[in-house]
Amino acid sequence: MARAAVSGRLGERLRWRVATLVGQREETPTTRTLVLDVPGWPGHLAGQHVDVRLTAEDGYSTQRSYSIASAPDGALLELTVQRVSDGEVSPYLVGDLIDGDLLELRGPVGGWFVWRPEQTEPVLLVAGGSGIVPLMAMIRARRQLGSTTPFRLLYSVRTPEDRMYADELQAPDPGLEVTFLYTRQVPEGWPRFPSRLTEKDMAAVAWAPSTLATSYVCGPTPFVEYAADLLVDLGQAPDRIRTERFGPTGG
Ligand SMILES: Cc1cc2nc3c(=O)[nH]c(=O)nc-3n(C[C@H](O)[C@H](O)[C@H](O)COP(=O)(O)OP(=O)(O)OC[C@H]3O[C@@H](n4cnc5c(N)ncnc54)[C@H](O)[C@@H]3O)c2cc1C
């Protein structure tokens, strides 16, 4: 009986669903949020992703993973996609869709890189580029719950215009501290030159190991590995560091 219930839930998550695009928002010049109506969506946890499948008229089909940007209790599902200039799927999702278009997706996928409402320990979020997407879902989930769990976000981007969700991240949200890091160009009057993430940056935001904080690191693979190593060097227990790599997917 229990096995039937578990496999039933798994079957639900593996089932391809047809979502309707009901809205779009430009987040940055290369990034767009897609607002999707997904009939029968089983719900998700902050941090999970979906697989999106595109099928051409000749039957050729390909799929990519995209993190869910919206908080769990929304009626609609939001994905934020960054255009990879020579990419196969992302330029289409960012530039070619119009409201009413249909997309196939399945999920939610993932059970480790998630923040659950019952977690009360401090949280560090470390994002490189589009790695902000699942971390934004965690920030939104915390806010919607009215949770007082302390959150810190370190968000590394190339230039100020590459910041996704910039207004939302700069709006008051008690208990959330946001630090931006610019690697190519800084805003006017910014107190430092463009720089990649350093140990000093990480030390400034990392929680003391004694707090038993959980750290979530997401972005391109080299960024994630470097950031996670810095956290270990700073004394964080490896099993309290959760990582998600946005390397190429497909299939
Ligand atoms: C779990 C998971 C969640 C993800 N969530 C998101 C998300 O929320 N938003 C988002 O924009 N992307 C996300 N991605 C990345 C996404 O799945 C695709 O890899 C990305 O959109 C590129 O697909 P493409 O078809 O345009 O490029 P492809 O045709 O697959 O690749 C084209 C070229 O770009 C390189 N490339 C592929 N992916 C990337 C990348 N992410 N960064 C830099 N270069 C790349 C390839 O090596 C290749 O040279 C996620 C990936 C994973 C594994």
Side-chain angles (χ1 to χ4, degrees):
M1 190 72 164
R3 179 178 296 177
V6 169
S7 65
R9 283 200 298 272
L10 185 64
E12 271 295 283
R13 292 202 303 270
L14 293 177
R15 186 159 74 81
W16 289 99
R17 297 167 195 277
V18 178
T20 306
L21 184 70
V22 295
Q24 307 186 49
R25 287 195 304 275
E26 186 181 285
E27 301 289 351
T28 75
T30 59
T31 311
R32 189 163 284 260
T33 290
L34 308 176
V35 185
L36 299 164
D37 180 22
V38 193
W41 180 247
H44 66 274
L45 292 167
Q48 289 186 303
H49 64 274
V50 294
D51 295 329
V52 173
R53 179 166 72 180
L54 301 182
T55 306
E57 278 168 22
D58 64 4
Y60 168 75
S61 174
T62 190
Q63 67 190 59
R64 299 288 185 273
S65 301
Y66 291 99
S67 297
I68 301 167
S70 42
D73 63 352
L76 299 170
L77 203 67
E78 296 191 359
L79 310 178
T80 305
V81 181
Q82 179 157 50
R83 186 173 59 233
V84 172
S85 53
D86 60 342
E88 183 182 11
V89 170
S90 60
Y92 173 76
L93 295 178
V94 172
D96 292 354
L97 293 176
I98 55 169
D99 288 3
D101 278 352
L102 305 178
L103 278 182
E104 268 190 305
L105 59 79
R106 71 175 175 195
V109 183
W112 170 245
F113 195 80
V114 295
W115 181 73
R116 294 171 192 272
E118 57 270 26
Q119 284 178 241
T120 52
E121 77 282 9
V123 166
L124 173 66
L125 309 172
V126 182
S130 55
I132 186 67
V133 179
L135 308 184
M136 196 65 208
M138 296 179 193
I139 289 170
R140 288 170 168 164
R142 171 189 178 276
R143 192 189 312 137
Q144 284 197 343
L145 285 162
S147 163
T148 53
T149 300
F151 267 37
R152 289 178 183 161
L153 169 68
L154 179 63
Y155 182 13
S156 174
V157 285
R158 288 179 180 167
T159 73
E161 73 169 13
D162 290 320
R163 290 174 309 180
M164 298 184 204
Y165 321 116
D167 291 344
E168 191 176 341
L169 286 174
Q170 290 172 106
D173 189 345
L176 169 70
E177 295 168 32
V178 178
T179 305
F180 292 104
L181 190 67
Y182 301 97
T183 60
R184 296 223 179 135
Q185 184 202 321
V186 296
E188 225 178 281
W190 195 250
R192 65 185 273 189
F193 292 112
S195 153
R196 284 180 179 270
L197 176 67
T198 65
E199 183 165 359
K200 203 171 154 201
D201 297 316
M202 193 62 98
V205 295
W207 295 98
S210 59
T211 63
L212 298 181
T214 301
S215 301
Y216 297 86
V217 185
C218 186
T221 302
F223 174 88
V224 169
E225 286 173 1
Y226 182 63
D229 284 348
L230 288 180
L231 285 168
V232 172
D233 291 347
L234 288 165
Q236 307 286 324
D239 65 352
R240 305 213 69 87
I241 304 170
R242 302 187 189 193
T243 58
E244 181 100 286
R245 294 159 173 78
F246 276 13
T249 50

